[in-house]
Amino acid sequence: MIRVFLLDDHEVVRRGVRDLLEASGDITVVGEASTAEEALLRVPVAKPDVAVLDVRLPDGNGIEVCRQIRSDHPELRCVMLTSFNDDEALVDAIMAGAAGYLLKEVRGGDLVEGVRRVARGESLLDPLATARVIDRLRNPPPQDQRLASLSAQEQKILALLADGLTNRQIAAEMYLAEKTIKNYVSNLLMKLGMHRRTEAAVYAARLSQRHHPEI
């Protein structure tokens, strides 16, 4: 039997994935968690062969959980399960040592087969996507010096500003307080030498277009 651990903050999702996997006959779910903190405590006790980890969590993300548990248990295979087709998350997943990266709209049979393949030591990472990520890591686009002055968190918020999100929407996206986001926006505007968030949004959109002209 393949022993699987599930990490997702939605109970309905966990229950659905559990039922799907256990109906296969050769997979058993040996543990569950709804937060990163719970997972880090429960995974070593459950001793799974494969961990299926949600990327976005209330207290962190599944990629960081993958990195930490594989640091202590390198034999554990991790599959990232997410609702978002995000190149940055794929980069982070590869760097964290994940063996697979699947979208939640994957068909049930493909998820079951994916867990089996990962348990056998295979990879579910698309070769073309992986090659694109490795190329980006080896050949990063030249950075505007103003952008380089921003922290990773500020750069993420800047990208969300470019998508037209309000402070409240950004706060919900990043699981932070709206007041915290307001402070981040004020700081990044000061670092960029700008006075209005619309200026920052246009600046970020132009940078994105320059680095990804095909978009």
Side-chain angles (χ1 to χ4, degrees), residues 200-214:
V202 170
Y203 165 75
R206 286 176 177 167
L207 276 180
S208 176
Q209 188 66 24
R210 188 191 310 165
H211 294 158
H212 307 284
E214 74 280 0

Side-chain angles (χ1 to χ4, degrees), residues 9-74:
D9 58 324
H10 295 101
E11 182 186 358
V12 172
V13 174
R14 293 199 311 274
R15 185 173 298 178
V17 174
R18 171 192 278 271
D19 291 347
L20 181 67
L21 293 177
E22 294 194 330
S24 67
D26 61 342
I27 298 173
T28 181
V29 175
V30 295
E32 297 182 17
S34 60
T35 67
E37 183 179 11
E38 288 177 354
L40 292 172
L41 290 172
R42 295 176 183 176
V43 166
V45 178
K47 293 183 171 56
D49 303 305
V50 177
V52 178
L53 310 173
D54 189 13
V55 169
R56 302 194 180 192
L57 298 165
D59 63 336
N61 64 74
I63 292 172
E64 186 57 36
V65 172
C66 171
R67 180 179 291 109
Q68 290 191 46
I69 59 179
R70 279 188 49 80
S71 175
D72 295 328
H73 308 279

Side-chain angles (χ1 to χ4, degrees), residues 46-118:
K47 293 183 171 56
D49 303 305
V50 177
V52 178
L53 310 173
D54 189 13
V55 169
R56 302 194 180 192
L57 298 165
D59 63 336
N61 64 74
I63 292 172
E64 186 57 36
V65 172
C66 171
R67 180 179 291 109
Q68 290 191 46
I69 59 179
R70 279 188 49 80
S71 175
D72 295 328
H73 308 279
E75 73 284 355
L76 177 61
R77 310 280 289 173
C78 294
V79 176
M80 311 314 302
L81 193 60
T82 179
S83 302
F84 306 94
N85 192 0
D86 180 352
D87 261 11
E88 292 304 318
L90 178 58
V91 171
D92 292 342
I94 291 172
M95 297 299 288
Y101 189 93
L102 295 172
L103 296 179
K104 285 185 178 178
E105 56 260 38
V106 66
R107 291 184 304 177
D110 290 339
L111 175 59
V112 171
E113 185 55 30
V115 168
R116 288 176 179 146
R117 286 178 55 191
V118 165

Side-chain angles (χ1 to χ4, degrees), residues 74 133 194:
V133 166
M194 298 174 182

Side-chain angles (χ1 to χ4, degrees), residues 105-196:
E105 56 260 38
V106 66
R107 291 184 304 177
D110 290 339
L111 175 59
V112 171
E113 185 55 30
V115 168
R116 288 176 179 146
R117 286 178 55 191
V118 165
R120 291 196 298 263
E122 299 178 27
S123 173
L124 295 182
L125 295 169
D126 178 73
L128 291 177
T130 303
R132 185 174 72 246
V133 166
I134 292 173
D135 181 65
R136 284 179 56 189
L137 292 173
R138 288 176 176 166
N139 304 289
Q143 274 201 333
D144 184 301
Q145 285 305 306
R146 289 180 297 175
L147 185 64
S149 72
L150 302 183
S151 68
Q153 195 85 312
E154 289 168 341
Q155 290 186 30
K156 185 172 183 179
I157 290 171
L158 179 62
L160 294 173
L161 285 178
D163 289 338
L165 273 63
T166 65
N167 284 356
R168 178 171 295 181
Q169 291 169 324
I170 294 173
E173 178 81 10
M174 299 183 66
Y175 301 106
L176 293 172
E178 188 175 352
K179 184 178 179 180
T180 302
I181 297 300
K182 184 178 179 180
N183 291 336
Y184 270 121
V185 171
S186 296
N187 288 338
L188 72 86
L189 287 177
M190 182 179 65
K191 289 181 179 180
L192 294 174
M194 298 174 182
H195 301 287
R196 295 188 299 275

